[in-house]
Amino acid sequence: MTVLDTRALGRATLARQMLLDRAHVPVLDAVAHLCGLQAQAPQEPFVGLWSRLRAFDPAGLCDLLTGRAVVRTHLMRRTVHLVTADDALAWRSRHDAMVRQRVLGTYRADFAGTDLDELAAAGRAVMADGEPRSMTELARALGRPTPGPRPLGEMLVAALLPMTQMPPRGLWRTKAGVRNVLLSSWLGREVDPPSPDASDPVGQALVRRYLAAFGPAASADVRAWCGLAGLPAAIAAMREELVTFRDERGRELLDLPDAPRPDPDTPAPVRFLPAFDNAILGYHDRGRIIDDAHRGLSVAGERVVLLDGRVSGTWTVEDGTVTVTPLRRFSRADHSEVTEQGEALAAFLSDHEHHRARIVASPH
C-alpha cells in the first residue's frame, strides 16, 4: 500500500482547501465544498474565504446570509459553523445525539432527572412564534427555576432545537449579539428526518464530502472533524468506492479515487488563516500542517500564517496593521512574501484604507 508522507498529505490538504491556488468559484460553492467554515468568531470566515478565493468580496457572503442561503448554526463538534442551508437541513439530524451528549458532558448534573424530549417540546413551543431570542431570553421564557439560564439556554439552542443565528450576527465588520430562531422557521423547510437505513446514507455523504475537502484521511480524522463516533457503518458501506493509503505512522488513509494529490514538491504560497480554521482543526492528526509543538495555537484561537504549507507564524491586526510573529526563522524570500501577503490582508480588512504589515524579529 502506498505510503504518503507528511509533506504529501499537507499538499493534498492545501489543494482541497483552496489554499494551494485561490479558487475562482462562487462563494456559496466554496462554503459547500469546504463543508462549512468554523464560525464561532463571527468575522473569521471572511478571512478564511479571502485566503481561498480570487477577488473575494465580503458583500457576497453577507448577501448569502441575509438571503438565507447560508446559516450560522451549531453542528460539527457542537461548534458554530457557517454552512449552506441545504447542508444544515440535511446534516442536522445526524448530529443530534452528538450535540446533546456534548452539552450533557458539561452540564450533566444540571439535567439529572430532566426529560430532555419534554424540554425540547417546551422550547419549540416558545420559539414557534418566530421571534428571535438569545439563550437567556429563551431560558427565561420557559419559566423554569432550574437549571439556570446558562445550562438551559445552551441545551436548547446548541443541542435540542435546530437553531440558526440571525443576521446581523456574522455580517462583515458588524458587531451584533446572538439572536436565535428555529432553523425550519428561518428557511421555510423542515430539517431532514433521521434515516432508518443501517448503512447510514447521511454518514456516507459526510464522509465523501469530508474526503473531497480534507482527504486523504483516517477514520479518526473524520471523527475529529464532525464529532460523530458512529460512522463505521457508513465507511464500511462505501469502501469499494474508496482508495486507501498509509501514513508514516501506519494508519490507513481513505480517499476518493479522483481527488487531487499533488506532487509533494509543489510550491505552496503564503496563506493567512483565521482563528479555528478547519484546515487545522479538521483532523485528529494535525501534523500534516502544524508541528506538535505548536498544536495548541489553533485550539487557543490564534490566527496563523502558512509558509511552505506549514504553520510558521501567528498574526494579529491592530490599527490597520497586520503584525506577524514568526515561529521559526524566516529567510529573506520568506520575509518578502509574508510581508506582501500581510499588506494585502491589511488592505482587505480595512477596505483598502491601510496596507501596513510588519514582521517582528524571527527566533534564532
Side-chain angles (χ1 to χ4, degrees), residues 236-364:
M238 59 190 299
R239 266 198 174 273
E240 290 189 1
E241 68 183 74
L242 302 177
V243 293
T244 56
F245 303 93
R246 297 271 177 200
D247 66 11
E248 292 175 300
R249 294 164 47 195
R251 298 190 313 161
E252 181 188 54
L253 304 175
L254 308 170
D255 206 6
L256 304 173
D258 299 325
R261 290 179 288 275
D263 187 298
D265 293 325
T266 302
V270 167
R271 292 290 184 258
F272 283 70
L273 294 187
F276 309 112
D277 196 282
N278 274 334
I280 299 173
L281 292 186
Y283 298 95
H284 177 259
D285 180 3
R286 298 170 185 162
R288 65 181 67 195
I289 280 185
I290 190 168
D291 295 345
D292 284 345
H294 304 138
R295 183 184 174 103
L297 293 174
S298 55
V299 180
E302 293 278 359
R303 297 153 160 173
V304 300
V305 180
L306 299 183
L307 184 59
D308 191 30
R310 298 196 64 77
V311 172
S312 300
T314 61
W315 67 274
T316 58
V317 61
E318 187 174 358
D319 298 328
T321 300
V322 169
T323 299
V324 175
T325 302
L327 296 171
R328 63 171 177 80
R329 190 169 185 82
F330 285 5
S331 68
R332 184 173 296 179
D334 295 338
H335 196 285
S336 176
E337 191 178 357
V338 170
T339 300
E340 181 181 350
Q341 276 294 300
E343 290 172 347
L345 177 58
F348 169 74
L349 292 172
S350 67
D351 288 343
H352 298 280
E353 290 182 14
H354 306 288
H355 299 77
R356 297 190 299 267
R358 70 186 189 97
I359 301 174
V360 303
S362 297
H364 296 291

Side-chain angles (χ1 to χ4, degrees), residues 10-179:
R11 288 303 189 266
T13 292
L14 295 178
R16 300 185 201 189
Q17 284 286 307
M18 306 176 176
L19 293 167
L20 203 55
D21 292 300
R22 282 185 167 95
H24 188 61
V25 299
V27 176
L28 184 63
D29 292 352
V31 174
H33 170 76
L34 295 167
C35 305
L37 294 95
Q38 188 134 336
Q40 65 263 50
Q43 296 297 298
E44 300 305 298
F46 290 96
V47 176
L49 290 169
W50 174 82
S51 289
R52 289 171 163 94
L53 299 180
R54 297 180 196 171
F56 170 63
D57 182 356
L61 180 56
C62 293
D63 289 345
L64 293 175
L65 275 162
T66 56
R68 311 187 190 199
V70 301
V71 295
R72 295 170 46 82
T73 188
H74 289 87
L75 203 60
M76 284 76 76
R77 306 189 298 279
R78 194 180 70 84
T79 54
V80 177
H81 273 70
L82 178 79
V83 296
T84 69
D86 288 343
D87 285 343
L89 294 170
W91 294 351
R92 173 56 205 238
S93 291
R94 188 62 182 81
H95 288 75
D96 278 352
M98 179 271 293
V99 293
R100 183 180 293 205
Q101 286 304 313
R102 290 202 172 200
V103 176
L104 283 176
T106 303
Y107 297 113
R108 191 171 301 278
D110 294 279
F111 290 99
T114 301
D115 183 328
L116 294 181
D117 292 334
E118 186 275 330
L119 177 60
R124 189 177 292 276
V126 170
M127 296 301 299
D129 61 7
E131 287 296 314
R133 291 177 174 87
S134 67
M135 281 188 182
T136 301
E137 288 168 344
L138 173 55
R140 288 176 177 162
L142 288 174
R144 298 183 178 214
T146 57
R150 180 70 190 186
L152 194 57
E154 195 160 336
M155 176 58 82
L156 286 163
V157 171
L160 297 184
L161 302 179
M163 301 276 241
T164 184
Q165 298 181 358
M166 284 184 62
R169 180 77 169 177
L171 298 184
W172 177 236
R173 301 178 76 184
T174 300
K175 292 184 178 180
V178 178
R179 312 284 290 172

Side-chain angles (χ1 to χ4, degrees), residues 172-231:
W172 177 236
R173 301 178 76 184
T174 300
K175 292 184 178 180
V178 178
R179 312 284 290 172
N180 305 285
V181 293
L182 291 173
L183 196 59
S184 55
S185 297
W186 182 246
L187 297 179
R189 292 180 282 163
E190 292 297 324
V191 172
D192 291 355
S195 172
D197 189 332
S199 69
D200 191 7
V202 178
Q204 291 184 50
L206 283 166
V207 171
R208 288 187 196 95
R209 295 278 298 279
Y210 174 81
L211 292 176
F214 294 88
S219 58
D221 295 318
V222 184
R223 183 168 62 248
W225 164 69
C226 63
L228 299 175
L231 290 174

